[in-house]
Protein backbone atom coordinates (compact mmCIF):
# COMPACT_ATOMS: atom_id res chain seq x y z
CA UNK A 1 0.00 0.00 0.00
CA UNK A 2 3.05 2.21 -0.05
CA UNK A 3 2.96 4.28 -3.23
CA UNK A 4 5.73 3.15 -5.55
CA UNK A 5 8.70 5.49 -5.44
CA UNK A 6 7.31 7.42 -2.41
CA UNK A 7 8.66 6.49 1.00
CA UNK A 8 6.06 8.39 3.05
CA UNK A 9 2.94 8.06 0.85
CA UNK A 10 0.39 5.27 1.28
CA UNK A 11 -2.84 4.57 -0.62
CA UNK A 12 -6.05 2.82 0.44
CA UNK A 13 -9.57 2.24 -0.83
CA UNK A 14 -10.58 3.23 -4.36
CA UNK A 15 -7.29 5.02 -5.08
CA UNK A 16 -5.29 1.90 -4.25
CA UNK A 17 -4.41 -0.42 -7.12
CA UNK A 18 -3.05 -3.86 -6.30
CA UNK A 19 -1.91 -6.64 -8.67
CA UNK A 20 -4.54 -8.97 -7.14
CA UNK A 21 -7.19 -6.83 -8.89
CA UNK A 22 -9.55 -6.86 -5.93
CA UNK A 23 -12.98 -5.29 -6.27
CA UNK A 24 -13.68 -1.74 -5.11
CA UNK A 25 -15.92 -2.53 -2.13
CA UNK A 26 -16.18 -1.19 1.41
CA UNK A 27 -14.85 -4.44 2.91
CA UNK A 28 -11.63 -4.22 0.93
CA UNK A 29 -11.32 -0.46 1.52
CA UNK A 30 -11.54 -1.08 5.27
CA UNK A 31 -8.81 -3.74 5.09
CA UNK A 32 -6.69 -1.38 2.92
CA UNK A 33 -7.17 1.40 5.45
CA UNK A 34 -6.18 -0.81 8.38
CA UNK A 35 -3.04 -1.97 6.58
CA UNK A 36 -2.12 1.54 5.41
CA UNK A 37 -2.59 2.98 8.91
CA UNK A 38 -0.45 0.25 10.45
CA UNK A 39 2.21 0.79 7.79
CA UNK A 40 2.31 4.54 8.49
CA UNK A 41 3.00 3.75 12.17
CA UNK A 42 5.56 1.12 11.25
CA UNK A 43 7.27 3.54 8.87
CA UNK A 44 7.53 6.19 11.59
CA UNK A 45 9.02 3.60 13.98
CA UNK A 46 11.43 2.34 11.31
CA UNK A 47 9.88 -1.15 11.32
CA UNK A 48 9.28 -3.57 8.45
CA UNK A 49 6.05 -2.75 6.59
CA UNK A 50 3.15 -5.19 6.31
CA UNK A 51 2.68 -6.82 2.93
CA UNK A 52 -0.82 -6.53 1.51
CA UNK A 53 -2.83 -8.72 1.41
CA UNK A 54 -0.50 -11.44 2.72
CA UNK A 55 -0.08 -10.02 6.24
CA UNK A 56 -3.76 -9.04 6.52
CA UNK A 57 -5.53 -12.07 4.99
CA UNK A 58 -2.77 -14.63 5.38
CA UNK A 59 -2.91 -15.26 1.63
CA UNK A 60 -1.72 -13.56 -1.58
CA UNK A 61 -5.33 -12.68 -2.50
CA UNK A 62 -8.10 -11.24 -0.30
CA UNK A 63 -11.15 -13.51 -0.01
CA UNK A 64 -14.18 -12.67 -2.15
CA UNK A 65 -16.76 -11.34 0.32
CA UNK A 66 -20.06 -9.67 -0.55
CA UNK A 67 -23.59 -9.08 0.74
CA UNK A 68 -26.16 -7.54 -1.61
CA UNK A 69 -29.78 -6.52 -1.06
CA UNK A 70 -32.19 -7.79 -3.70
CA UNK A 71 -35.31 -5.97 -2.65
CA UNK A 72 -36.67 -5.51 0.84
CA UNK A 73 -36.77 -9.18 1.88
CA UNK A 74 -34.23 -10.83 -0.38
CA UNK A 75 -30.47 -10.80 -0.74
CA UNK A 76 -27.34 -12.65 -1.73
CA UNK A 77 -24.15 -13.15 0.22
CA UNK A 78 -20.98 -14.93 -0.67
CA UNK A 79 -17.63 -15.94 0.71
CA UNK A 80 -15.29 -17.19 -2.00
CA UNK A 81 -17.32 -20.00 -3.66
CA UNK A 82 -20.00 -20.30 -0.96
CA UNK A 83 -23.19 -18.43 -1.87
CA UNK A 84 -26.36 -17.99 0.20
CA UNK A 85 -29.44 -16.38 -1.32
CA UNK A 86 -32.76 -15.36 0.19
CA UNK A 87 -34.08 -13.91 3.41
CA UNK A 88 -31.16 -15.05 5.57
CA UNK A 89 -28.72 -13.14 3.34
CA UNK A 90 -30.97 -10.08 3.54
CA UNK A 91 -31.08 -10.32 7.33
CA UNK A 92 -27.29 -10.70 7.49
CA UNK A 93 -26.80 -7.58 5.36
CA UNK A 94 -29.08 -5.61 7.67
CA UNK A 95 -27.20 -6.92 10.75
CA UNK A 96 -23.78 -6.14 9.26
CA UNK A 97 -24.81 -2.60 8.32
CA UNK A 98 -26.61 -1.95 11.62
CA UNK A 99 -23.66 -3.05 13.75
CA UNK A 100 -21.02 -1.42 11.50
CA UNK A 101 -22.76 1.98 11.69
CA UNK A 102 -22.88 1.66 15.48
CA UNK A 103 -19.20 0.69 15.63
CA UNK A 104 -18.23 3.72 13.57
CA UNK A 105 -20.34 5.91 15.88
CA UNK A 106 -18.45 4.52 18.90
CA UNK A 107 -21.48 2.74 20.35
CA UNK A 108 -20.69 -0.23 22.62
CA UNK A 109 -22.82 -2.80 20.75
CA UNK A 110 -21.08 -2.09 17.45
CA UNK A 111 -17.63 -2.08 19.02
CA UNK A 112 -18.38 -5.37 20.79
CA UNK A 113 -19.68 -7.14 17.66
CA UNK A 114 -16.83 -5.98 15.41
CA UNK A 115 -14.10 -6.93 17.90
CA UNK A 116 -15.33 -10.54 18.22
Amino acid sequence: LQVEGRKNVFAAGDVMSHPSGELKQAYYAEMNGAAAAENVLRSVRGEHLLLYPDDIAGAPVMPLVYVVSLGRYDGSMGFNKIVLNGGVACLMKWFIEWTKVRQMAGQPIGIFIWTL
Side-chain angles (χ1 to χ4, degrees):
L1 298 173
Q2 185 177 31
V3 174
E4 206 170 299
R6 302 289 182 161
K7 183 179 178 185
N8 298 319
V9 180
F10 297 85
D14 288 355
V15 300
M16 192 275 296
S17 179
H18 189 269
S20 67
E22 67 188 29
L23 302 171
K24 302 297 182 184
Q25 294 180 348
Y27 166 75
Y28 301 111
E30 186 173 353
M31 297 299 106
N32 294 168
E38 179 61 28
N39 278 344
V40 167
L41 295 174
R42 287 172 175 251
S43 178
V44 168
R45 295 188 300 246
E47 297 174 2
H48 177 73
L49 301 181
L50 295 176
L51 295 176
Y52 182 87
D54 306 71
D55 291 331
I56 300 297
V61 177
M62 289 292 287
L64 176 61
V65 177
Y66 65 88
V67 185
V68 180
S69 294
L70 301 172
R72 189 170 181 175
Y73 303 107
D74 201 6
S76 180
M77 65 184 294
F79 179 76
N80 292 331
K81 294 184 180 185
I82 300 169
V83 178
L84 176 65
N85 296 315
V88 173
C90 183
L91 182 62
M92 286 302 298
K93 181 168 180 18
W94 172 84
F95 180 77
I96 289 167
E97 289 176 348
W98 188 85
T99 57
K100 187 51 117 173
V101 166
R102 276 141 188 86
Q103 178 207 24
M104 301 308 281
Q107 294 179 5
I109 186 67
I111 294 168
F112 173 74
I113 294 296
W114 287 95
T115 54
L116 289 179

